[in-house]
């Protein structure tokens, strides 16, 4: 089938296996076929193309789309109904609630003239979601030919292996077919296939080579590679378009595009920025080094004390409690990690994750790292709006007085406001300053998920918190307040 | 296996176990199926010149064989279950002709011939004239009738009782049940029609709430009213044998005792038969065997990227050092960094988010599994995971991995990770 060969590349053996499995139209085929392989290895594409080209009666259903039993069964029946009815007649919508009804209705629908004496194919894509639906669904589909006594074959497509599907009590074993991953040669062939007509095939092939050189060790997913190829091709062509290099000047072209591709790996590949943003950057020719991805911490602006609260929380999470004395007391004894300890320590706290700490410990550490002794009033936990606003003009570190705070609470903001999440407050502030959002209390830090509350709210011995920021994040924050956090971390002694 | 007898007036509860296929049965049934081929060989020699008829012949052979392999249509020979068959047919005849109530439970591993047995028995039964006019059959399946409500509606539908119009059954569960019981209780031994109930996947019926259906069915079969035969088919009690059969099936076709695997194997070999290659050869069967015995997890590992392979090797080292204790992403990344920093393997120095994406891909493929459900508050880097591959699988997969970089392979085999 020459036509088929042009549509489907590098999958000849799988296409011929499937074709021979299907056999002739009226022949019986295996009751259920299970096709597995990596994502983007062509399972869906080959099955669909083959069934369409051979014009076999088939129904294609995606199990992510039809995530409940009813949706799945109704879609199959209605699509079959469409197939079997003539063009002008509008078939009535069939409803089906149980698998028992499905079998009964299926027998009725397949009695139609156009479906009789032919194998009907039901293709279920992303079949791993069937395991989470009703328990009788998967074994039922595997035996559908026997249960309905009709010529039907169910094809399951998935990237998970069959062993993980098999129910505990066993079931009718399907015919398992493996779609192997594409080799690097195959990938090159397929990717070079969609070269734009303005440029020669060799030019594009050289580009694909460079692309694969950067990305192949990390990603072999054909869909991702195709997307990256399309996105970055304009950058590759830039020197040629500008007239700085000819099509054959591979070295120059490589030097131009390779850092660009490396940057793409850190941004577009990780979906840190969207593809349209990436394209815009290329067009405007801005330096990609100034990109602000989704997880860029430059978006976050915390008030002065909140930064210290966060730093104190990080220290409390990652230092064992017994070492607090050494770090935070003025006259401590010398506790040094001996070489013996260094070699035989099983795992550092940075590998195990943050540990929960009580509020008192947080306060104790906080007082010790903030130089000036601050009164233990509500000021520490919330900064009033007016003081924060004027804080931007005042030098850092001066807390607001008690009277100021109380008067603000009475006049400027009703008390409820202080508990609202920051999003609601930002319109108020943006009218005064186009500035970062407002936040000041530990509750706000929890809302931002920089701290997490561990355990239940109404615990008797007080709430426990955990700091959920990464080391890089807290180092950046500590840098802005001139605090050397590494000196205070036990794991870096 | 002799059936056990239960006490009870006029009730015999038999348990039949289809004997495990012996090697002879296996091969002789296979030969029986393939006998069609010899027939074709003979006829094709006669029609040497006529190419069209040759392909038509081939098409016919394909059709017949596919029906036998795929559709499990009945063929006349029963291999290895003659004793059980005689017993079953006798039991059914006693219900159908002499009005005696009976119940039978047929137990056997998957693919041992239970459904075939009962279908055969019913076919022979229906050939007797007085039976075909009188006896009613009800076929239920545990996969379809998942609760008693649906089961009851199905029974009333199949028996075509008065509350059935077209395909719809009217009335509530209680009404249907009382209706059915009335209908079955009305008759007596001499004048009413015997009913044969066949319950496939019997163990699933036993899981229904209060087991109302089973209770009522067996109750009817005990009391002296409409003669009823209840035939249950299940594989549940043979689970342990089934598992080991499954394991062996994957590897050695000769040792397996399951007829379906033979069907699958022959079907695979049949695929290669075309007009240009009209006869099945030994090579076809061997290739089919190889296809049958592929290790699927090794196939998946074959398609991973180099970074993902490095992560799996890092996890393997962690498992070796900490004796299979669960790990998190941070530990794996740390181990991977030890490899990258040593010996200037700077080509593998990827950013942490890129490594995280590769780690998540492994999770999506279910090669690693979280120990507990992901909670919203937990950081992804610290969630404890487990690797679902063992060391031999990893090393075998690495052998077959295409273009595996030498330093990666060396790292895998080295057991000294603190170097």
């Amino acid at each position: 089938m020459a036509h088929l060969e042009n549509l489907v590349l590098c999958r000849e053996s799988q296409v011929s296996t499937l074709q021979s499995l299907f056999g002739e139209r009226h022949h019986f085929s295996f009751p259920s076929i299970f096709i597995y392989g990596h994502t983007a290895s062509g399972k869906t594409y080959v099955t669909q193309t083959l069934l369409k080209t051979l014009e076999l009666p088939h129904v294609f259903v995606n199990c992510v789309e039809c995530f409940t039993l009813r949706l799945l069964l109704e879609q199959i029946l209605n699509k079959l109904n469409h197939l079997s009815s003539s063009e002008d007649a509008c078939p009535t919508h069939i409803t089906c609630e149980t698998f028992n009804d499905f079998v009964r209705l299926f027998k009725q629908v397949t009695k139609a003239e156009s479906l009789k004496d032919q194998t009907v194919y039901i293709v279920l894509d992303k079949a791993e979601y069937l395991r989470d639906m009703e328990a009788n669904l998967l074994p039922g589909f595997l035996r559908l030919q026997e249960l309905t006594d009709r010529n039907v074959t169910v094809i399951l497509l998935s990237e998970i292996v069959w062993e993980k599907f098999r129910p505990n009590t066993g079931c009718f074993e399907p015919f398992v077919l493996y779609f192997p991953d594409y080799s690097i040669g195959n990938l090159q062939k397929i990717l070079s296939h969609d070269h734009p007509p303005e440029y020669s095939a060799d030019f594009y092939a050289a580009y694909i080579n460079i692309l694969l050189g950067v990305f192949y060790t990390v990603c072999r997913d054909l869909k991702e590679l195709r997307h990256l190829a399309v996105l970055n091709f304009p950058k590759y062509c830039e020197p040629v378009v500008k007239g700085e290099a000819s099509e054959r000047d591979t070295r120059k072209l490589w030097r131009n595009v390779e850092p660009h591709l490396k940057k793409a790996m850190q941004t577009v590949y990780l979906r840190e920025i969207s593809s349209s943003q990436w394209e815009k950057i290329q067009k405007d020719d801005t330096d990609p080094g100034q990109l602000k991805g989704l997880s860029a911490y430059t978006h976050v602006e915390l008030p002065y004390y909140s930064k210290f609260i966060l730093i104190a929380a990080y220290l409390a999470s990652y230092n064992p409690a017994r070492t607090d004395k050494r770090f935070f007391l003025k006259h401590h004894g010398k506790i040094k990690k001996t070489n013996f300890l260094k070699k035989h320590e099983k795992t550092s706290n940075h590998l195990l994750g943050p540990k929960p700490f009580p509020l008192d410990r947080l306060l104790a550490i906080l007082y010790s790292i903030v130089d000036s002794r601050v009164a233990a009033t509500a000021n520490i936990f919330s900064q009033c709006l007016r003081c924060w606003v004027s804080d931007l003009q005042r030098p850092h570190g001066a807390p607001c007085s008690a009277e100021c705070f109380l008067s603000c609470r009475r006049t400027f903001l009703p008390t409820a406001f202080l508990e609202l999440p920051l999003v609601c407050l930002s319109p108020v502030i943006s009218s005064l300053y186009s500035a970062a959002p407002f936040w000041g209390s530990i509750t706000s830090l929890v809302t931002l998920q920089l701290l997490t509350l561990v355990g239940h709210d109404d615990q008797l011995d007080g709430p426990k918190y955990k700091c959920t920021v990464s080391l890089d994040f807290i180092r950046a924050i500590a840098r802005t307040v001139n605090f050397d956090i590494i000196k205070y971390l036990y794991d870096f002694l | 296996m002799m059936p056990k007898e239960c006490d009870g007036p006029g009730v015999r509860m038999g348990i039949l176990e289809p004997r495990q296929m012996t090697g002879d049965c296996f091969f002789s049934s296979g030969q029986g199926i393939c006998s069609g081929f010899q027939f074709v060989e003979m006829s094709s020699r006669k029609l040497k010149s006529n190419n069209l008829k040759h392909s038509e012949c081939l098409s016919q052979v394909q059709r017949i064989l596919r029906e036998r392999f795929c559709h499990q249509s009945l063929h006349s020979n029963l291999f290895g279950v003659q004793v059980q068959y005689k017993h079953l047919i006798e039991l059914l005849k006693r219900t159908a002709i002499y009005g005696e109530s009976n119940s039978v439970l047929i137990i056997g591993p998957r693919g041992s011939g239970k459904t075939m047995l009962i279908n055969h028995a019913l076919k022979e039964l229906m050939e007797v004239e007085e039976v075909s006019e009188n006896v009613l059959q009800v076929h239920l399946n545990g996969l379809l009738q998942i609760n008693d409500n649906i089961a009851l509606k199905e029974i009333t539908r199949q028996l075509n009782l008065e509350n059935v119009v077209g395909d719809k059954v009217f009335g509530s569960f209680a009404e249907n049940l009382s209706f059915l019981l009335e209908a079955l209780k009305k008759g007596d031994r001499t004048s009413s029609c015997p009913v044969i109930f066949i319950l496939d996947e019997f163990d699933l019926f036993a899981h229904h709430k209060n087991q109302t259906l089973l209770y009522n069915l067996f109750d009817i079969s005990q009391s002296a009213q409409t003669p009823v035969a209840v035939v249950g088919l299940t594989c549940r009690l043979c689970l342990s044998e089934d598992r080991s059969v499954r394991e062996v099936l994957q590897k050695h076709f000769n040792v397996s005792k399951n007829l379906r695997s033979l069907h699958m194997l022959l079907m695979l070999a049949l695929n290669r038969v075309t007009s240009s290659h009209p006869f099945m050869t030994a090579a076809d069967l061997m290739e089919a065997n190889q296809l049958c015995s592929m290790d699927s997890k090794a196939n998946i590992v074959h398609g991973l990227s180099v970074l993902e392979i490095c992560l799996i090797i890092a996890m393997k080292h962690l498992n070796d050092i900490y004796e299979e204790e669960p790990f998190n992403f941070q530990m794996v990344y740390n181990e991977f960094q030890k490899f990258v920093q040593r010996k200037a393997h700077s080509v593998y120095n990827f950013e942490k988010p890129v490594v995280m994406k590769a780690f998540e891909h492994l999770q999506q493929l279910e090669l690693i599994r979280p120990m507990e459900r992901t909670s919203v508050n937990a950081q992804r880097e610290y969630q404890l995971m487990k690797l679902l591959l063992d060391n031999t699988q990893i090393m075998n997969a690495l052998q077959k991995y295409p273009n595996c970089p030498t330093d990666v392979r060396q790292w895998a085999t080295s057991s000294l990770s603190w170097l």
Side-chain angles (χ1 to χ4, degrees), chain B residues 97-209:
Chain B
I97 303 175
Y98 304 119
E100 195 183 281
S101 283
N102 274 311
S103 43
V104 179
L105 188 62
I106 306 180
I107 308 173
R110 293 224 175 248
S112 51
K114 308 182 289 292
T115 315
M116 183 203 70
L117 190 73
I118 186 70
N119 285 340
H120 222 276
L122 286 173
K123 190 164 141 227
E124 195 184 303
L125 198 68
M126 289 297 146
E127 281 166 7
V128 180
E129 228 186 82
E130 52 179 76
V131 170
S132 62
E133 288 167 18
N134 270 329
V135 163
L136 299 164
Q137 288 183 35
V138 175
H139 292 260
L140 299 177
N141 191 314
L143 285 177
L144 297 176
Q145 286 87 39
I146 48 179
N147 61 40
D148 285 338
N149 207 343
I150 303 177
L152 201 61
K153 288 205 169 142
E154 190 64 28
I155 296 175
T156 25
R157 192 180 289 131
Q158 289 193 18
L159 288 178
N160 234 334
L161 297 179
E162 278 95 53
N163 57 346
V164 179
V165 176
D167 245 352
K168 286 212 174 292
V169 179
F170 294 94
S172 71
F173 179 72
E175 286 172 1
N176 282 333
L177 183 61
S178 57
F179 206 85
L180 177 68
L181 294 175
E182 274 286 322
L184 290 175
K185 282 194 180 135
K186 239 193 309 190
D188 60 62
R189 289 281 157 111
T190 49
S191 65
S192 61
C193 298
V195 185
I196 303 182
F197 287 92
I198 296 126
L199 286 89
D200 220 332
E201 313 278 349
F202 185 77
D203 49 291
L204 294 173
F205 282 109
H207 286 149
H208 289 179
K209 189 173 170 218

Side-chain angles (χ1 to χ4, degrees), chain B residues 293-305:
Chain B
S293 49
M294 264 203 277
D295 181 10
S296 45
K297 269 193 186 156
N299 287 336
I300 292 288
V301 175
H302 188 271
L304 294 176
S305 68

Side-chain angles (χ1 to χ4, degrees), chain A residues 182-434:
Chain A
Y182 291 114
S183 68
I184 191 166
N186 285 344
L187 278 176
Q188 272 170 333
K189 187 169 170 202
I190 298 175
L191 286 171
S192 314
H193 204 246
D194 40 35
H195 71 92
E198 305 95 59
Y199 296 95
S200 69
D202 291 332
F203 180 67
Y204 198 74
Y207 165 63
I208 293 293
N209 253 333
I210 298 175
L211 182 83
L212 285 176
V214 174
F215 280 99
Y216 188 68
T217 41
V218 169
C219 167
R220 291 171 68 177
D221 185 341
L222 181 61
K223 282 190 258 199
E224 294 246 28
L225 290 171
R226 270 179 106 175
H227 182 65
L228 287 164
V230 166
L231 271 186
N232 293 302
F233 190 57
K235 181 74 181 174
Y236 184 72
C237 299
E238 214 181 61
V240 177
V241 164
K242 281 193 191 160
E244 291 165 359
S246 77
E247 284 197 5
R248 295 179 188 285
D249 227 341
T250 37
R251 191 164 172 77
K252 203 165 184 182
L253 293 167
W254 176 77
R255 252 192 310 189
N256 177 46
V257 83
E258 208 222 0
H260 190 81
L261 288 176
K262 288 233 156 89
K263 192 67 194 174
M265 196 194 290
Q266 293 161 6
T267 50
V268 174
Y269 175 63
L270 297 173
R271 309 288 187 272
E272 286 278 319
I273 65 170
S274 72
S275 321
S276 52
Q277 275 177 295
W278 184 250
E279 283 181 325
K280 193 158 163 290
I281 287 169
Q282 280 182 112
K283 247 192 253 172
D284 299 344
D285 215 9
T286 46
D287 176 24
Q290 287 169 2
L291 279 173
K292 276 195 200 166
L294 278 176
S295 17
Y297 42 74
T298 46
H299 283 175
V300 171
E301 266 299 329
L302 291 173
Y304 188 66
Y305 280 132
S306 298
K307 288 186 188 169
F308 275 106
I309 294 176
L310 195 60
I311 292 172
Y314 190 85
L315 291 171
S317 286
Y318 285 96
N319 281 346
R322 57 189 161 84
T323 55
D324 282 351
K325 229 167 56 162
R326 181 248 183 266
F327 286 117
F328 305 115
L329 272 189
K330 284 236 156 67
H331 304 289
H332 56 85
K334 272 205 171 172
I335 301 177
K336 242 198 313 191
K337 253 207 227 172
T338 58
N339 276 337
F340 177 81
L341 267 177
K342 271 193 191 161
K343 261 201 199 161
H344 288 77
E345 207 156 66
K346 263 213 162 177
T347 31
S348 79
N349 291 314
H350 276 84
L351 290 181
L352 294 173
K355 302 244 172 37
F357 55 85
L359 197 57
D360 313 335
R361 190 164 164 228
L362 171 69
L363 289 176
I365 296 179
L366 181 66
Y367 289 154
S368 103
I369 61 178
V370 174
D371 277 334
S372 49
R373 279 240 143 212
V374 192
T377 60
N379 286 348
I380 275 297
F381 295 99
S382 54
Q383 269 183 301
C384 71
L385 178 60
R386 195 185 290 163
C387 297
W388 177 80
V389 162
S390 51
D391 204 25
L392 292 169
Q393 295 152 353
R394 267 194 315 192
H396 282 308
C400 56
S401 61
E403 300 90 41
C404 179
F405 183 71
L406 287 170
S407 66
C408 283
R409 279 174 74 106
R410 259 199 311 256
T411 61
F412 201 94
L413 289 171
T415 37
F417 259 64
L418 288 168
E419 302 306 308
L420 273 180
L422 58 110
V423 184
C424 309
L425 291 173
S426 48
V428 175
I429 298 117
S430 353
S431 58
L432 298 172
Y433 285 83
S434 60

Side-chain angles (χ1 to χ4, degrees), chain B residues 196-248:
Chain B
I196 303 182
F197 287 92
I198 296 126
L199 286 89
D200 220 332
E201 313 278 349
F202 185 77
D203 49 291
L204 294 173
F205 282 109
H207 286 149
H208 289 179
K209 189 173 170 218
N210 293 338
Q211 302 180 343
T212 324
L213 181 74
L214 289 182
Y215 185 79
N216 281 299
L217 275 181
F218 285 121
D219 190 45
I220 295 172
S221 76
Q222 287 252 13
S223 49
Q225 275 137 16
T226 314
V228 149
V230 181
V231 182
L233 294 99
T234 178
C235 72
R236 198 52 110 105
L237 298 175
C238 290
L239 193 56
S240 52
E241 293 174 273
D242 200 54
R243 274 253 167 82
S244 60
V245 167
R246 283 269 161 267
E247 238 102 69
V248 166

Side-chain angles (χ1 to χ4, degrees), chain B residues 9-79:
Chain B
V11 167
R12 214 161 277 157
M13 169 90 127
I15 298 179
L16 301 177
E17 269 181 70
R19 254 182 35 236
Q20 297 260 275
M21 287 274 162
T22 62
D24 308 324
C25 294
F26 198 44
F27 288 114
S28 50
S29 70
Q31 267 179 354
I33 294 170
C34 289
S35 61
F37 267 136
Q38 286 154 354
F39 184 84
V40 173
E41 268 189 69
M42 304 288 275
S43 54
S44 71
R45 276 193 214 128
K46 291 181 186 168
L47 305 162
K48 248 184 282 179
S49 51
N50 208 332
N51 218 4
L52 206 66
K53 275 210 169 162
H54 180 94
S55 64
E56 205 184 270
C57 242
L58 215 60
S59 170
Q60 281 282 32
V61 171
Q62 282 256 1
R63 184 180 66 82
I64 296 168
L65 288 178
R66 273 163 187 268
E67 257 178 40
R68 287 187 190 172
F69 295 157
C70 303
H71 199 54
Q72 327 279 346
S73 54
L74 303 168
H75 36 95
S76 44
N77 298 334
L78 289 167
F79 292 96

